[in-house]
Amino acid sequence: MLSYFVVILLSIALVGTVSFYISYKTMADRAESAGLQLVRQIENNMDNDFHSKRNLLLAPYNDQAYIDGINRYADMSDQEKFLFRQRIGDLYLKSFNVTPIRDFLRFQIYYGDGELLSSSDARKPWTPSQVRNSEWFRSTVAKDGEAFFSGFIPQEANEPSEVAAYASSIMIRDFSNPDRFIVVRTEYRSSLFRSIGQNDDLSLNSRIVILDEDNRLVYESGNESKSIAESELLERAVGREGKFWINVGGEEMLASFTSSGYSNWKAVLVTPRVEIFGALDKIKTTVIFTAIIAFVFTFMISVLFGQRITRPILNLYKTVNRIKRGDFSLRVKIDRNDEIGRIGMNFNAMQDELQTLIETKYLNQIKLQEVELAMLYSQINPHFLYNTLDSIRAMSDYYKVEEISVMAQSLADMFRYNTKNKDEIVTLQEELDQIDSYIKIQSIRFEGKIECGIQIDEALYGTPLLKMTLQPLVENAVFHGIERKRGKGMITISASKERSRIRLSIKDDGVGISEKRLAEIRDKLKPPAQQLIEPSAEREIGIGIVNVYSRYAIRFGDRFDFTIDSKKGSGTEITLVFPPFETESDAKSESST
C-alpha cells in the first residue's frame, strides 16, 4: 500500500510538472511568434504610410518648371523669388489638401542656405543658421534625395513640440545641378500610431512603442511613457528584429520588435506577462487542487480494496508453489466471478492440460520415432535415380529422340554434380560445366529461346568458387528475365581479375526490374545476422540469390561486394567481387608463420 501510495504521488507530480512545462513552453513560443507577427504588420502599415507621404514630398518633380526655378532661385529678382515661393507653396498646399492626411500638421520649405521659402502656418520661423545647423536638416541632406524620418526635435526650449509626434523631410534638386536644392519638411501628429494600435487586435494592456533610427522614443501608447523610456528596452532593441523579456515598473513584460528597412524605425510591442500566462496560472491552480483531491481519493481506494485484491492472489501463489513441488492434485478454489476468479479458472484449466501433456509425452515421442523411420525407408537411393536417367537416355538413343537424350544426360550430370561432389569449394570450370547442362535443358524447354555466352579468360577457369554459385543466379536470370521476354534472350557470364580480387558477372537482356522493386531487393540483401526472410520474400527475390550472397558474406565479410543493377526493359546484371580463396598450401604457410 505504501509503494502504491508513493507511485501515485510521484505520477501525479510528474504528469502535472511535465504538462505545465509543455503548456508554458507552448504558450511562450506562441506569444513570441504572435508578437513578432504583430510588429511586422505594424511595421508594414507604418512603411506604407511613410511611403505615401514621401511621394507627396516629390510633387515638384512632376513639373520641370519647379526644378528650373530651384536652379535659378539664387539669380532671380525679388519679384521672381516672391512668385516662385508662392507657386511652390501653393503646390504643396494642394498636394496635402486634395487627399487629406489625418495626422498632417504643417510643412515648411527651405532653400539650400536655410532660407524659409514657404510655410503652411504662421509659426515663428527659424533663422537660416538654425536651419543649416539643425540635426534634421543635415541628416536630410546626407540622405541625398531619400526621405528622412525623425521624432520631433524642438529647436527652442519654448517651442510647443507636444503637438507634433514626428517629421519627414526630403531634398529636392536637379541631378545635373546638385549644389542648388530645396528641403521640404512636414510635421505630423501621432494619429498614425494610435490607429495602428487600434486596428491590430492588441490585448488590453499591450503597448506599442515606436523608436527612430537612433533608438529614441517617438511614440508610446498608454500613459506610462516614462517607465518605458527609463527601462532597458531602448538599449536591447538592437538589430533587424528580436524578442526579449524586460522589467517595466516591477512588472515582467515581453518585448517584440522589428526594424523597418525603409525608414530604419523600430516598431516594438510590449505585452505584460500576466496577459500571456494568466490562463495558464489558473490552470496550474486548478490542476494542483485536482491532484490533491485525486490523491486523497486514491488513498481511500487503496485502503478499502487492497486486501480484497491481495488475498486471492496469495491463495493462487500458494497453489503455484504446490505445483512447483510436483503436486497436481490441488486446485484453486473459485468463489468469485471477477478478473481474479477468471484467472483461477484458467489456472485450473492450465493445470489439467499440463497434467494431460505430461501423461501423453512419451506416447508422442514413440509415434514421432515411427514417422521418422518410415520417412527413412521411403527415401530414394541416388544410384537408382542415376540408373533410371541412364535408362531414359539409352531408350531415347535407341528411338533416336535427341532432345530427350540431351535432357536426361544433362539432368543426370547435374544430379551427380550436386550429390557426388562433397567439397564446398569447386573450380570455375566445374561450375561452368554445371551451367552448360542447365542451359541445355532450358534451351530445349523454351525451344532455343535462351542462349548463353561465356567471356572468361582461360587462365581463370581454375579459379576457386563456392559450390552452386552460378546456377542459382543463372536460374534467376532465366525465370525472372528471359522467360518473360518476347523473343530470344542472352545470358552472359564473364569473369576478370581486378588487382587482387576476382570479378564475376551474370548479365541478361531480359525484361529488367523497376526502380521500386530493385530498391526492395537491395534492402533485403543484408548481412546474414540481420536477415529475416519470410517465405513470401523468398519467392519474390529468389532464395538462391540470398543463399549465394550469405555464403560469400560469411566467408569474406567486408572484402566481398555484391551488386544488382537493372533497368526496366534493359535487363539485369549481378556482380560478385571477392578475394581469391586460400589454398591448403597458403593456409599451412600462414599457420607456420
Side-chain angles (χ1 to χ4, degrees):
M1 285 179 59
L2 179 61
S3 300
Y4 184 71
F5 189 80
V6 171
V7 168
I8 292 297
L9 176 62
L10 293 178
S11 299
I12 293 176
L14 180 61
V15 170
T17 302
V18 172
S19 300
F20 181 81
Y21 175 78
I22 294 175
S23 300
Y24 182 91
K25 189 68 177 174
T26 302
M27 292 184 70
D29 291 341
R30 289 182 178 178
E32 292 175 355
S33 177
L36 282 177
Q37 292 294 334
L38 279 173
V39 293
R40 289 188 187 120
Q41 184 60 41
I42 292 171
E43 172 207 336
N44 185 61
N45 294 339
M46 186 172 65
D47 282 352
N48 290 338
D49 188 88
F50 281 5
H51 194 271
S52 63
K53 291 173 179 176
R54 177 250 187 191
N55 291 338
L56 291 175
L57 297 179
L58 298 177
Y61 284 115
N62 296 325
D63 190 343
Q64 183 64 33
Y66 292 103
I67 302 300
D68 294 337
I70 294 173
N71 291 335
R72 295 189 306 104
Y73 182 80
D75 302 323
M76 290 180 179
S77 64
D78 292 340
Q79 184 178 3
E80 289 176 332
K81 288 182 178 180
F82 173 80
L83 293 175
F84 177 77
R85 289 196 298 267
Q86 190 175 28
R87 287 180 57 222
I88 200 167
D90 292 340
L91 172 66
Y92 277 103
L93 283 174
K94 292 177 182 178
S95 298
F96 284 98
N97 290 325
V98 169
T99 304
I101 300 176
R102 58 189 170 186
D103 54 348
F104 171 74
L105 185 60
R106 64 177 65 90
F107 73 84
Q108 301 97 31
I109 305 173
Y110 297 93
Y111 193 64
D113 60 357
E115 177 187 357
L116 178 65
L117 300 183
S118 180
S119 177
S120 62
D121 60 6
R123 181 185 179 191
K124 180 182 177 181
W126 295 323
T127 65
S129 176
Q130 288 178 319
V131 172
R132 290 194 305 272
N133 295 325
S134 64
E135 179 182 344
W136 66 266
F137 188 89
R138 294 196 304 270
S139 298
T140 304
V141 174
K143 285 287 186 177
D144 195 23
E146 290 293 330
F148 172 70
F149 296 88
S150 65
F152 188 82
I153 305 172
Q155 293 292 111
E156 298 178 359
N158 59 354
E159 189 168 15
S161 60
E162 66 277 4
V163 296
Y166 67 99
S168 64
S169 54
I170 194 169
M171 179 175 66
I172 307 295
R173 62 182 171 84
D174 187 354
F175 295 99
S176 62
N177 193 4
D179 296 328
R180 297 191 177 188
F181 58 87
I182 64 172
V183 173
V184 184
R185 171 184 169 89
T186 55
E187 298 175 7
Y188 300 94
R189 302 182 185 89
S190 59
S191 305
L192 166 65
F193 307 124
R194 287 198 298 271
S195 64
I196 289 177
Q198 294 171 357
N199 296 333
D200 283 292
D201 244 354
L202 303 181
S203 59
L204 183 61
N205 295 313
S206 294
R207 295 149 68 184
I208 295 176
V209 179
I210 304 297
L211 306 177
D212 65 11
E213 61 181 337
D214 295 323
N215 268 27
R216 290 179 298 205
L217 185 63
V218 176
Y219 170 81
E220 179 193 4
S221 62
N223 299 317
E224 300 177 11
S225 57
K226 184 177 181 181
S227 60
I228 286 290
E230 294 178 353
S231 70
E232 57 184 334
L233 172 67
L234 304 182
E235 298 176 0
R236 298 185 60 182
V238 178
R240 180 67 184 85
E241 66 177 22
K243 52 186 181 297
F244 50 86
W245 291 89
I246 59 172
N247 191 288
V248 179
E251 183 179 7
E252 192 174 11
M253 294 187 173
L254 172 65
S256 305
F257 74 92
T258 183
S259 179
S260 167
Y262 179 71
S263 63
N264 291 327
W265 283 24
K266 291 186 178 68
V268 186
L269 177 65
V270 182
T271 306
R273 181 188 181 280
V274 67
E275 289 197 3
I276 300 175
F277 299 109
L280 185 61
D281 292 336
K282 293 180 181 179
I283 293 174
K284 179 178 68 174
T285 304
T286 304
V287 168
I288 291 174
F289 279 109
T290 304
I292 293 174
I293 295 173
F295 182 75
V296 173
F297 185 71
T298 303
F299 176 77
M300 294 175 61
I301 291 178
S302 65
V303 172
L304 293 175
F305 298 101
Q307 292 185 351
R308 177 175 171 80
I309 295 175
T310 57
R311 188 181 295 112
I313 294 177
L314 183 60
N315 292 335
L316 184 61
Y317 170 77
K318 292 178 180 179
T319 305
V320 171
N321 278 340
R322 291 176 66 92
I323 295 176
K324 182 180 179 182
R325 294 194 297 268
D327 183 5
F328 288 83
S329 60
L330 186 64
R331 297 292 185 267
V332 177
K333 184 179 179 180
I334 307 299
D335 57 358
R336 52 198 298 167
N337 196 31
D338 58 4
E339 291 81 1
I340 296 177
R342 288 193 287 272
I343 290 175
M345 293 173 59
N346 290 333
F347 183 82
N348 288 340
M350 181 193 68
Q351 195 172 346
D352 295 336
E353 185 177 356
L354 182 60
Q355 189 171 359
T356 302
L357 289 173
I358 292 175
E359 292 172 356
T360 59
K361 174 182 178 183
Y362 295 104
L363 180 61
N364 290 337
Q365 286 282 5
I366 294 173
K367 289 184 178 293
L368 180 60
Q369 291 177 1
E370 291 176 352
V371 172
E372 291 176 348
L373 185 59
M375 292 176 62
L376 181 62
Y377 288 152
S378 66
Q379 289 182 351
I380 299 175
N381 191 327
H383 293 286
F384 172 74
L385 180 61
Y386 302 151
N387 293 336
T388 302
L389 291 172
D390 287 337
S391 298
I392 294 172
R393 182 183 58 81
M395 292 172 66
S396 64
D397 289 340
Y398 178 78
Y399 289 104
K400 298 182 180 181
V401 183
E402 184 179 356
E403 287 82 359
I404 298 177
S405 176
V406 173
M407 290 186 73
Q409 182 63 48
S410 299
L411 186 58
D413 292 342
M414 291 180 68
F415 274 118
R416 287 190 181 95
Y417 178 78
N418 292 337
T419 57
K420 285 188 176 182
N421 193 346
K422 303 298 182 181
D423 296 331
E424 183 185 6
I425 299 177
V426 296
T427 65
L428 178 58
Q429 179 64 61
E430 292 175 309
E431 282 287 287
L432 292 174
D433 293 340
Q434 170 81 338
I435 294 302
D436 183 62
S437 299
Y438 176 78
I439 291 296
K440 286 179 180 178
I441 295 173
Q442 297 295 3
S443 181
I444 294 173
R445 280 189 63 210
F446 294 103
E447 299 179 352
K449 178 180 179 179
I450 301 175
E451 296 181 1
C452 183
I454 307 296
Q455 298 179 357
I456 300 175
D457 191 351
E458 291 184 1
L460 296 177
Y461 282 161
T463 301
L465 298 178
L466 291 180
K467 186 178 179 181
M468 295 298 288
T469 295
L470 295 179
Q471 196 273 337
L473 303 181
V474 172
E475 182 178 2
N476 184 76
V478 170
F479 286 103
H480 297 286
I482 304 300
E483 183 177 353
R484 303 177 183 179
K485 176 184 178 182
R486 293 184 179 180
K488 291 186 178 182
M490 170 67 74
I491 298 175
T492 304
I493 302 174
S494 60
S496 60
K497 192 167 185 180
E498 296 182 352
R499 297 183 182 177
S500 61
R501 298 203 296 177
I502 306 299
R503 179 186 182 88
L504 185 61
S505 172
I506 296 87
K507 183 177 181 180
D508 67 78
D509 59 355
V511 296
I513 308 172
S514 66
E515 293 183 2
K516 179 180 179 181
R517 184 73 192 110
L518 184 61
E520 294 175 358
I521 294 175
R522 287 172 176 167
D523 184 61
K524 292 174 182 176
L525 291 177
K526 300 177 180 178
Q530 302 178 17
Q531 290 180 5
L532 183 60
I533 305 297
E534 302 293 338
S536 60
E538 294 175 0
R539 291 194 296 270
E540 291 173 359
I541 69 172
I543 191 173
I545 295 179
V546 178
N547 181 272
V548 172
Y549 170 80
S550 300
R551 289 190 294 143
Y552 277 88
I554 291 172
R555 178 173 289 271
F556 295 112
D558 295 338
R559 295 181 296 164
F560 168 65
D561 294 327
F562 187 95
T563 58
I564 302 179
D565 296 314
S566 182
K567 190 174 182 181
K568 193 70 173 177
S570 300
T572 302
E573 182 176 8
I574 298 178
T575 305
L576 294 80
V577 183
F578 53 89
F581 287 79
E582 292 183 357
T583 62
E584 293 184 3
S585 59
D586 294 335
K588 289 180 180 179
S589 63
E590 184 178 349
S591 61
S592 63
T593 302

